[in-house]
Amino acid sequence: MITAIVLIKTSVDRIPEIAEQIASLESVSEVFSVTGTYDLIAMVRVRQHDDLADVIPGRISKIPGVEGTDTHVAFRTYSQHDLEAAFSIGLES
């Protein structure tokens, strides 16, 4: 599974509607409204790198009100949740 973090600039007056449209896309697992330079952050999970092109420039960037994206592809996932699950295997009473 390939994970991409997509930073999205939008029309400020349409953030909720744009976020809902992005969240409804099949490969998008979460969308966050954030402070700072960008308005939204989307977590995109796909099977192959080629699929990123279908989702990000192919769908997200074409949503009316999306002004630009900046995509970061994750190499590895470091999650406290995943670590806790790994270390608790076989330790349950």
Side-chain angles (χ1 to χ4, degrees), residues 19-44:
E20 287 181 21
Q21 284 185 278
I22 293 170
S24 72
L25 297 175
E26 184 178 327
S27 298
V28 176
S29 60
E30 296 109 349
V31 177
F32 303 95
S33 174
V34 296
T35 62
T37 305
Y38 294 90
D39 303 301
L40 300 171
I41 296 176
M43 301 301 291
V44 175

Side-chain angles (χ1 to χ4, degrees), residues 57-68:
R59 295 193 185 130
I60 292 175
S61 293
K62 291 183 179 177
I63 293 173
V66 170
E67 297 173 354

Side-chain angles (χ1 to χ4, degrees), residues 4-79:
I5 299 94
V6 185
L7 310 174
I8 306 164
K9 288 192 77 77
T10 68
S11 300
V12 178
D13 60 331
R14 299 201 52 240
I15 291 174
E17 303 95 89
I18 294 168
E20 287 181 21
Q21 284 185 278
I22 293 170
S24 72
L25 297 175
E26 184 178 327
S27 298
V28 176
S29 60
E30 296 109 349
V31 177
F32 303 95
S33 174
V34 296
T35 62
T37 305
Y38 294 90
D39 303 301
L40 300 171
I41 296 176
M43 301 301 291
V44 175
R45 292 183 170 87
V46 295
R47 293 190 183 275
Q48 301 175 25
H49 280 95
D50 290 346
D51 297 334
L52 290 173
D54 294 333
V55 177
I56 300 164
R59 295 193 185 130
I60 292 175
S61 293
K62 291 183 179 177
I63 293 173
V66 170
E67 297 173 354
T69 63
D70 187 6
T71 302
H72 300 263
V73 177
F75 293 126
R76 290 190 180 127
T77 300
Y78 299 93
S79 166

